[in-house]
Short mmCIF file of all heavy atoms in Angstrom, two decimals:
data_model
loop_
_atom_site.label_atom_id
_atom_site.label_comp_id
_atom_site.label_asym_id
_atom_site.label_seq_id
_atom_site.Cartn_x
_atom_site.Cartn_y
_atom_site.Cartn_z
N TYR A 32 3.03 -14.11 -8.49
CA TYR A 32 1.74 -14.28 -7.77
C TYR A 32 0.67 -14.72 -8.76
O TYR A 32 -0.20 -15.53 -8.46
CB TYR A 32 1.32 -12.98 -7.08
CG TYR A 32 1.94 -12.79 -5.70
CD1 TYR A 32 3.05 -11.96 -5.53
CD2 TYR A 32 1.42 -13.40 -4.57
CE1 TYR A 32 3.62 -11.77 -4.27
CE2 TYR A 32 1.95 -13.21 -3.32
CZ TYR A 32 3.06 -12.41 -3.18
OH TYR A 32 3.62 -12.23 -1.93
N SER A 33 0.73 -14.14 -9.98
CA SER A 33 -0.33 -14.44 -10.96
C SER A 33 -0.27 -15.87 -11.48
O SER A 33 -1.22 -16.34 -12.10
CB SER A 33 -0.25 -13.48 -12.13
OG SER A 33 0.76 -13.81 -13.06
N GLU A 34 0.87 -16.56 -11.21
CA GLU A 34 1.01 -17.93 -11.66
C GLU A 34 0.65 -18.94 -10.56
O GLU A 34 0.78 -20.16 -10.75
CB GLU A 34 2.46 -18.15 -12.14
CG GLU A 34 2.75 -17.37 -13.45
CD GLU A 34 4.21 -17.17 -13.73
OE1 GLU A 34 5.04 -17.48 -12.83
OE2 GLU A 34 4.55 -16.66 -14.81
N MET A 35 0.21 -18.39 -9.41
CA MET A 35 -0.15 -19.31 -8.32
C MET A 35 -1.50 -19.95 -8.64
O MET A 35 -2.31 -19.40 -9.37
CB MET A 35 -0.18 -18.54 -7.00
CG MET A 35 1.22 -18.11 -6.57
SD MET A 35 1.24 -17.32 -4.98
CE MET A 35 2.99 -16.95 -4.79
N PRO A 36 -1.76 -21.14 -8.07
CA PRO A 36 -2.97 -21.89 -8.45
C PRO A 36 -4.30 -21.25 -7.98
O PRO A 36 -5.35 -21.49 -8.54
CB PRO A 36 -2.74 -23.26 -7.81
CG PRO A 36 -1.72 -23.04 -6.73
CD PRO A 36 -0.87 -21.91 -7.18
N VAL A 37 -4.20 -20.43 -6.91
CA VAL A 37 -5.43 -19.76 -6.47
C VAL A 37 -5.27 -18.24 -6.63
O VAL A 37 -4.16 -17.73 -6.58
CB VAL A 37 -5.75 -20.11 -4.98
CG1 VAL A 37 -6.10 -21.57 -4.85
CG2 VAL A 37 -4.62 -19.73 -4.07
N SER A 38 -6.43 -17.56 -6.73
CA SER A 38 -6.34 -16.12 -6.94
C SER A 38 -5.72 -15.45 -5.71
O SER A 38 -5.84 -15.90 -4.58
CB SER A 38 -7.72 -15.55 -7.25
OG SER A 38 -8.59 -15.82 -6.19
N GLN A 39 -5.02 -14.34 -5.94
CA GLN A 39 -4.24 -13.63 -4.92
C GLN A 39 -4.86 -12.27 -4.68
O GLN A 39 -5.27 -11.60 -5.60
CB GLN A 39 -2.79 -13.49 -5.39
CG GLN A 39 -2.10 -14.80 -5.70
CD GLN A 39 -1.84 -15.65 -4.45
OE1 GLN A 39 -1.13 -15.22 -3.53
NE2 GLN A 39 -2.48 -16.78 -4.39
N HIS A 40 -4.95 -11.91 -3.43
CA HIS A 40 -5.46 -10.59 -3.05
C HIS A 40 -4.32 -9.67 -2.68
O HIS A 40 -3.59 -9.91 -1.73
CB HIS A 40 -6.46 -10.76 -1.88
CG HIS A 40 -7.70 -11.48 -2.29
ND1 HIS A 40 -8.79 -10.81 -2.86
CD2 HIS A 40 -8.03 -12.76 -2.24
CE1 HIS A 40 -9.73 -11.70 -3.13
NE2 HIS A 40 -9.30 -12.89 -2.78
N ILE A 41 -4.18 -8.62 -3.50
CA ILE A 41 -3.04 -7.72 -3.36
C ILE A 41 -3.56 -6.30 -3.14
O ILE A 41 -4.42 -5.80 -3.85
CB ILE A 41 -2.15 -7.76 -4.64
CG1 ILE A 41 -1.59 -9.18 -4.83
CG2 ILE A 41 -1.04 -6.73 -4.56
CD1 ILE A 41 -0.88 -9.39 -6.15
N SER A 42 -3.02 -5.66 -2.09
CA SER A 42 -3.45 -4.31 -1.76
C SER A 42 -2.34 -3.33 -2.20
O SER A 42 -1.17 -3.50 -1.84
CB SER A 42 -3.65 -4.16 -0.24
OG SER A 42 -3.91 -2.81 0.13
N LEU A 43 -2.74 -2.34 -2.99
CA LEU A 43 -1.78 -1.38 -3.50
C LEU A 43 -1.73 -0.11 -2.65
O LEU A 43 -2.72 0.26 -2.04
CB LEU A 43 -2.20 -0.99 -4.95
CG LEU A 43 -2.20 -2.11 -5.96
CD1 LEU A 43 -2.81 -1.64 -7.28
CD2 LEU A 43 -0.81 -2.68 -6.21
N SER A 44 -0.58 0.55 -2.67
CA SER A 44 -0.49 1.84 -1.98
C SER A 44 -0.97 2.93 -2.93
O SER A 44 -1.11 2.72 -4.14
CB SER A 44 0.93 2.11 -1.54
OG SER A 44 1.75 2.30 -2.69
N GLY A 45 -1.20 4.10 -2.36
CA GLY A 45 -1.60 5.22 -3.20
C GLY A 45 -0.44 6.19 -3.32
O GLY A 45 0.73 5.76 -3.22
N GLY A 46 -0.75 7.44 -3.57
CA GLY A 46 0.33 8.43 -3.72
C GLY A 46 0.98 8.32 -5.08
O GLY A 46 0.47 7.67 -6.01
N THR A 47 2.20 8.90 -5.18
CA THR A 47 2.83 9.02 -6.51
C THR A 47 3.74 7.86 -6.84
O THR A 47 3.89 7.49 -8.01
CB THR A 47 3.65 10.34 -6.59
OG1 THR A 47 4.62 10.29 -5.48
CG2 THR A 47 2.81 11.55 -6.48
N THR A 48 4.39 7.24 -5.84
CA THR A 48 5.37 6.22 -6.11
C THR A 48 4.84 5.08 -7.01
O THR A 48 5.47 4.72 -7.99
CB THR A 48 5.98 5.66 -4.82
OG1 THR A 48 6.56 6.73 -4.08
CG2 THR A 48 7.03 4.61 -5.08
N PRO A 49 3.64 4.55 -6.68
CA PRO A 49 3.17 3.43 -7.52
C PRO A 49 2.90 3.82 -8.99
O PRO A 49 2.91 2.95 -9.84
CB PRO A 49 1.87 3.01 -6.83
CG PRO A 49 1.82 3.69 -5.53
CD PRO A 49 2.71 4.89 -5.60
N LYS A 50 2.69 5.12 -9.25
CA LYS A 50 2.36 5.50 -10.63
C LYS A 50 3.46 5.12 -11.59
O LYS A 50 3.24 4.70 -12.72
CB LYS A 50 2.04 7.00 -10.69
CG LYS A 50 0.83 7.38 -9.86
CD LYS A 50 0.51 8.87 -9.97
CE LYS A 50 -0.61 9.25 -9.05
NZ LYS A 50 -0.99 10.70 -9.11
N ALA A 51 4.72 5.30 -11.13
CA ALA A 51 5.85 4.97 -12.00
C ALA A 51 5.91 3.46 -12.24
O ALA A 51 6.28 2.97 -13.32
CB ALA A 51 7.16 5.49 -11.40
N LEU A 52 5.54 2.67 -11.22
CA LEU A 52 5.46 1.20 -11.40
C LEU A 52 4.40 0.86 -12.42
O LEU A 52 4.64 0.03 -13.30
CB LEU A 52 5.13 0.55 -10.03
CG LEU A 52 4.78 -0.96 -10.07
CD1 LEU A 52 5.93 -1.80 -10.60
CD2 LEU A 52 4.33 -1.41 -8.69
N PHE A 53 3.24 1.48 -12.31
CA PHE A 53 2.17 1.21 -13.28
C PHE A 53 2.63 1.48 -14.71
O PHE A 53 2.42 0.69 -15.62
CB PHE A 53 0.91 2.04 -12.97
CG PHE A 53 0.35 1.83 -11.58
CD1 PHE A 53 -0.41 2.82 -10.98
CD2 PHE A 53 0.57 0.64 -10.88
CE1 PHE A 53 -0.94 2.64 -9.67
CE2 PHE A 53 0.05 0.46 -9.60
CZ PHE A 53 -0.70 1.45 -9.01
N GLN A 54 3.30 2.63 -14.86
CA GLN A 54 3.75 3.01 -16.24
C GLN A 54 4.83 2.06 -16.73
O GLN A 54 4.81 1.65 -17.89
CB GLN A 54 4.28 4.47 -16.20
CG GLN A 54 3.15 5.48 -15.99
CD GLN A 54 3.62 6.87 -15.56
OE1 GLN A 54 4.62 6.98 -14.82
NE2 GLN A 54 2.93 7.90 -16.03
N PHE A 55 5.69 1.59 -15.81
CA PHE A 55 6.71 0.61 -16.19
C PHE A 55 6.07 -0.65 -16.71
O PHE A 55 6.44 -1.19 -17.77
CB PHE A 55 7.62 0.29 -14.99
CG PHE A 55 8.61 -0.84 -15.21
CD1 PHE A 55 9.86 -0.58 -15.75
CD2 PHE A 55 8.25 -2.13 -14.91
CE1 PHE A 55 10.77 -1.60 -15.98
CE2 PHE A 55 9.14 -3.18 -15.13
CZ PHE A 55 10.41 -2.92 -15.67
N ILE A 56 5.08 -1.15 -15.98
CA ILE A 56 4.42 -2.39 -16.35
C ILE A 56 3.78 -2.27 -17.74
O ILE A 56 3.94 -3.14 -18.60
CB ILE A 56 3.38 -2.81 -15.29
CG1 ILE A 56 4.08 -3.24 -14.00
CG2 ILE A 56 2.48 -3.96 -15.82
CD1 ILE A 56 3.16 -3.48 -12.82
N VAL A 57 3.08 -1.18 -17.96
CA VAL A 57 2.33 -1.01 -19.23
C VAL A 57 3.32 -0.90 -20.39
O VAL A 57 3.01 -1.36 -21.51
CB VAL A 57 1.44 0.27 -19.14
CG1 VAL A 57 0.87 0.63 -20.51
CG2 VAL A 57 0.30 0.00 -18.14
N GLN A 58 4.51 -0.35 -20.14
CA GLN A 58 5.50 -0.21 -21.22
C GLN A 58 6.41 -1.42 -21.35
O GLN A 58 7.39 -1.41 -22.12
CB GLN A 58 6.35 1.06 -20.97
CG GLN A 58 5.54 2.34 -21.14
CD GLN A 58 6.12 3.54 -20.36
OE1 GLN A 58 7.30 3.46 -19.95
NE2 GLN A 58 5.35 4.57 -20.14
N SER A 59 6.15 -2.45 -20.56
CA SER A 59 7.05 -3.66 -20.60
C SER A 59 6.22 -4.89 -20.98
O SER A 59 5.00 -4.86 -21.02
CB SER A 59 7.65 -3.88 -19.19
OG SER A 59 6.65 -4.40 -18.33
N ALA A 60 6.99 -5.99 -21.16
CA ALA A 60 6.30 -7.25 -21.52
C ALA A 60 5.39 -7.74 -20.39
O ALA A 60 4.49 -8.56 -20.62
CB ALA A 60 7.38 -8.29 -21.84
N TYR A 61 5.66 -7.24 -19.16
CA TYR A 61 4.81 -7.71 -18.04
C TYR A 61 3.35 -7.40 -18.29
O TYR A 61 2.47 -8.09 -17.78
CB TYR A 61 5.27 -7.05 -16.74
CG TYR A 61 6.58 -7.57 -16.22
CD1 TYR A 61 7.75 -6.81 -16.26
CD2 TYR A 61 6.68 -8.86 -15.70
CE1 TYR A 61 8.95 -7.28 -15.83
CE2 TYR A 61 7.90 -9.35 -15.25
CZ TYR A 61 9.01 -8.56 -15.29
OH TYR A 61 10.21 -9.02 -14.86
N ARG A 62 3.09 -6.41 -19.11
CA ARG A 62 1.67 -6.08 -19.44
C ARG A 62 0.93 -7.32 -19.92
O ARG A 62 -0.26 -7.50 -19.66
CB ARG A 62 1.69 -4.99 -20.52
CG ARG A 62 0.33 -4.54 -21.03
CD ARG A 62 0.51 -3.45 -22.08
NE ARG A 62 -0.76 -2.98 -22.59
CZ ARG A 62 -0.87 -1.99 -23.50
NH1 ARG A 62 0.23 -1.38 -23.94
NH2 ARG A 62 -2.04 -1.60 -23.94
N TYR A 63 1.65 -8.22 -20.63
CA TYR A 63 1.04 -9.40 -21.19
C TYR A 63 1.48 -10.67 -20.45
O TYR A 63 0.81 -11.71 -20.50
CB TYR A 63 1.41 -9.54 -22.68
CG TYR A 63 1.06 -8.29 -23.46
CD1 TYR A 63 2.04 -7.38 -23.86
CD2 TYR A 63 -0.27 -7.98 -23.75
CE1 TYR A 63 1.74 -6.22 -24.55
CE2 TYR A 63 -0.60 -6.82 -24.41
CZ TYR A 63 0.40 -5.94 -24.83
OH TYR A 63 0.08 -4.77 -25.48
N LEU A 64 2.61 -10.60 -19.74
CA LEU A 64 3.13 -11.80 -19.07
C LEU A 64 2.37 -12.07 -17.75
O LEU A 64 2.27 -13.22 -17.33
CB LEU A 64 4.61 -11.61 -18.74
CG LEU A 64 5.59 -11.59 -19.94
CD1 LEU A 64 6.99 -11.24 -19.47
CD2 LEU A 64 5.56 -12.94 -20.68
N ILE A 65 1.88 -11.04 -17.14
CA ILE A 65 1.14 -11.23 -15.86
C ILE A 65 -0.24 -11.77 -16.20
O ILE A 65 -0.92 -11.24 -17.10
CB ILE A 65 1.04 -9.90 -15.09
CG1 ILE A 65 2.44 -9.47 -14.61
CG2 ILE A 65 0.07 -10.01 -13.90
CD1 ILE A 65 2.52 -8.05 -14.03
N ASN A 66 -0.63 -12.85 -15.48
CA ASN A 66 -1.95 -13.46 -15.67
C ASN A 66 -2.95 -12.68 -14.82
O ASN A 66 -3.30 -13.08 -13.69
CB ASN A 66 -1.85 -14.95 -15.29
CG ASN A 66 -3.20 -15.64 -15.46
OD1 ASN A 66 -4.09 -15.14 -16.15
ND2 ASN A 66 -3.36 -16.77 -14.79
N TRP A 67 -3.41 -11.58 -15.32
CA TRP A 67 -4.18 -10.59 -14.51
C TRP A 67 -5.44 -11.18 -13.91
O TRP A 67 -5.87 -10.78 -12.83
CB TRP A 67 -4.53 -9.35 -15.39
CG TRP A 67 -3.31 -8.62 -15.84
CD1 TRP A 67 -2.70 -8.68 -17.06
CD2 TRP A 67 -2.53 -7.71 -15.04
NE1 TRP A 67 -1.61 -7.86 -17.10
CE2 TRP A 67 -1.46 -7.24 -15.87
CE3 TRP A 67 -2.64 -7.22 -13.74
CZ2 TRP A 67 -0.50 -6.36 -15.42
CZ3 TRP A 67 -1.66 -6.32 -13.27
CH2 TRP A 67 -0.62 -5.88 -14.12
N LYS A 68 -6.02 -12.17 -14.58
CA LYS A 68 -7.33 -12.67 -14.04
C LYS A 68 -7.11 -13.43 -12.72
O LYS A 68 -8.08 -13.70 -12.01
CB LYS A 68 -8.07 -13.53 -15.09
CG LYS A 68 -7.41 -14.83 -15.47
CD LYS A 68 -8.26 -15.56 -16.53
CE LYS A 68 -7.65 -16.87 -16.93
NZ LYS A 68 -6.25 -16.72 -17.40
N GLN A 69 -5.86 -13.74 -12.40
CA GLN A 69 -5.57 -14.47 -11.16
C GLN A 69 -5.33 -13.51 -9.99
O GLN A 69 -5.14 -13.91 -8.85
CB GLN A 69 -4.36 -15.38 -11.38
CG GLN A 69 -4.21 -16.52 -10.42
CD GLN A 69 -5.33 -17.54 -10.53
OE1 GLN A 69 -6.43 -17.31 -11.02
NE2 GLN A 69 -5.06 -18.74 -10.03
N LEU A 70 -5.32 -12.19 -10.27
CA LEU A 70 -4.99 -11.18 -9.25
C LEU A 70 -6.21 -10.32 -8.97
O LEU A 70 -6.84 -9.81 -9.87
CB LEU A 70 -3.82 -10.32 -9.70
CG LEU A 70 -2.53 -11.06 -10.06
CD1 LEU A 70 -1.45 -10.06 -10.54
CD2 LEU A 70 -2.02 -11.87 -8.89
N HIS A 71 -6.46 -10.14 -7.68
CA HIS A 71 -7.49 -9.21 -7.19
C HIS A 71 -6.82 -8.04 -6.50
O HIS A 71 -5.99 -8.26 -5.62
CB HIS A 71 -8.44 -9.92 -6.22
CG HIS A 71 -9.42 -10.81 -6.94
ND1 HIS A 71 -10.73 -10.49 -7.14
CD2 HIS A 71 -9.24 -12.03 -7.53
CE1 HIS A 71 -11.32 -11.45 -7.82
NE2 HIS A 71 -10.43 -12.39 -8.06
N PHE A 72 -7.14 -6.83 -6.96
CA PHE A 72 -6.44 -5.66 -6.43
C PHE A 72 -7.37 -4.84 -5.51
O PHE A 72 -8.53 -4.59 -5.84
CB PHE A 72 -5.95 -4.78 -7.55
CG PHE A 72 -4.76 -5.40 -8.27
CD1 PHE A 72 -4.94 -6.14 -9.45
CD2 PHE A 72 -3.48 -5.30 -7.76
CE1 PHE A 72 -3.85 -6.72 -10.09
CE2 PHE A 72 -2.40 -5.89 -8.38
CZ PHE A 72 -2.57 -6.60 -9.58
N TRP A 73 -6.78 -4.43 -4.40
CA TRP A 73 -7.44 -3.61 -3.38
C TRP A 73 -6.54 -2.40 -3.13
O TRP A 73 -5.44 -2.35 -3.70
CB TRP A 73 -7.63 -4.43 -2.09
CG TRP A 73 -8.43 -5.70 -2.29
CD1 TRP A 73 -8.00 -6.87 -2.87
CD2 TRP A 73 -9.79 -5.91 -1.92
NE1 TRP A 73 -9.01 -7.79 -2.85
CE2 TRP A 73 -10.12 -7.25 -2.27
CE3 TRP A 73 -10.76 -5.12 -1.30
CZ2 TRP A 73 -11.38 -7.79 -2.04
CZ3 TRP A 73 -12.02 -5.68 -1.07
CH2 TRP A 73 -12.31 -6.99 -1.45
N TRP A 74 -7.01 -1.49 -2.28
CA TRP A 74 -6.17 -0.35 -1.97
C TRP A 74 -6.01 -0.20 -0.46
O TRP A 74 -7.00 -0.41 0.29
CB TRP A 74 -6.80 0.95 -2.59
CG TRP A 74 -6.37 1.03 -4.04
CD1 TRP A 74 -5.35 1.76 -4.57
CD2 TRP A 74 -6.96 0.31 -5.14
NE1 TRP A 74 -5.24 1.56 -5.93
CE2 TRP A 74 -6.21 0.67 -6.31
CE3 TRP A 74 -8.01 -0.58 -5.29
CZ2 TRP A 74 -6.50 0.16 -7.58
CZ3 TRP A 74 -8.30 -1.10 -6.54
CH2 TRP A 74 -7.54 -0.74 -7.67
N GLY A 75 -4.81 0.10 -0.03
CA GLY A 75 -4.55 0.27 1.39
C GLY A 75 -5.24 1.50 1.97
O GLY A 75 -5.56 1.56 3.17
N ASP A 76 -5.46 2.46 1.11
CA ASP A 76 -6.21 3.65 1.54
C ASP A 76 -6.73 4.40 0.30
O ASP A 76 -6.29 4.15 -0.81
CB ASP A 76 -5.35 4.56 2.43
CG ASP A 76 -4.23 5.21 1.68
OD1 ASP A 76 -3.71 4.64 0.71
OD2 ASP A 76 -3.87 6.34 2.03
N GLU A 77 -7.65 5.30 0.56
CA GLU A 77 -8.22 6.07 -0.54
C GLU A 77 -8.57 7.45 -0.01
O GLU A 77 -9.00 7.61 1.14
CB GLU A 77 -9.42 5.37 -1.11
CG GLU A 77 -10.04 6.04 -2.37
CD GLU A 77 -9.01 6.23 -3.49
OE1 GLU A 77 -8.23 7.20 -3.46
OE2 GLU A 77 -9.02 5.37 -4.37
N ARG A 78 -8.42 8.42 -0.87
CA ARG A 78 -8.89 9.74 -0.52
C ARG A 78 -10.36 9.81 -0.81
O ARG A 78 -10.84 9.22 -1.77
CB ARG A 78 -8.13 10.76 -1.38
CG ARG A 78 -6.64 10.83 -1.14
CD ARG A 78 -5.87 9.74 -1.88
NE ARG A 78 -4.43 9.80 -1.71
CZ ARG A 78 -3.63 10.59 -2.41
NH1 ARG A 78 -4.13 11.36 -3.29
NH2 ARG A 78 -2.33 10.60 -2.19
N CYS A 79 -11.12 10.53 0.00
CA CYS A 79 -12.57 10.62 -0.19
C CYS A 79 -12.85 11.65 -1.28
O CYS A 79 -13.29 12.79 -1.00
CB CYS A 79 -13.29 10.97 1.14
SG CYS A 79 -13.21 9.59 2.29
N VAL A 80 -12.56 11.25 -2.50
CA VAL A 80 -12.77 12.11 -3.67
C VAL A 80 -13.35 11.23 -4.76
O VAL A 80 -13.23 10.01 -4.75
CB VAL A 80 -11.42 12.73 -4.14
CG1 VAL A 80 -10.83 13.65 -3.09
CG2 VAL A 80 -10.43 11.64 -4.53
N PRO A 81 -13.99 11.84 -5.75
CA PRO A 81 -14.52 11.07 -6.86
C PRO A 81 -13.40 10.40 -7.63
O PRO A 81 -12.26 10.89 -7.65
CB PRO A 81 -15.24 12.09 -7.74
CG PRO A 81 -15.49 13.25 -6.85
CD PRO A 81 -14.38 13.27 -5.84
N GLU A 82 -13.68 9.27 -8.25
CA GLU A 82 -12.67 8.50 -8.97
C GLU A 82 -12.05 9.33 -10.11
O GLU A 82 -10.89 9.09 -10.47
CB GLU A 82 -13.32 7.25 -9.53
CG GLU A 82 -12.36 6.15 -9.97
CD GLU A 82 -13.05 4.84 -10.28
OE1 GLU A 82 -13.61 4.21 -9.36
OE2 GLU A 82 -13.03 4.46 -11.46
N GLN A 83 -12.81 10.29 -10.63
CA GLN A 83 -12.31 11.11 -11.75
C GLN A 83 -11.20 12.06 -11.28
O GLN A 83 -10.45 12.59 -12.09
CB GLN A 83 -13.45 11.95 -12.37
CG GLN A 83 -14.55 11.16 -12.98
CD GLN A 83 -15.53 10.54 -11.93
OE1 GLN A 83 -15.42 10.78 -10.70
NE2 GLN A 83 -16.44 9.71 -12.38
#
Side-chain angles (χ1 to χ4, degrees):
Y32 275 100
S33 79
E34 291 161 352
M35 292 184 180
V37 294
S38 58
Q39 302 292 298
H40 292 275
I41 298 172
S42 173
L43 297 172
S44 67
T47 55
T48 302
K50 296 182 186 181
L52 169 62
F53 301 155
Q54 290 163 325
F55 173 88
I56 291 172
V57 170
Q58 290 156 17
S59 75
Y61 289 108
R62 178 178 180 178
Y63 305 104
L64 292 173
I65 292 170
N66 180 18
W67 296 100
K68 65 181 180 305
Q69 201 65 339
L70 303 178
H71 284 256
F72 288 97
W73 303 76
W74 277 263
D76 67 329
E77 186 57 278
R78 295 83 178 275
C79 291
V80 295
E82 198 171 293
Q83 298 76 4

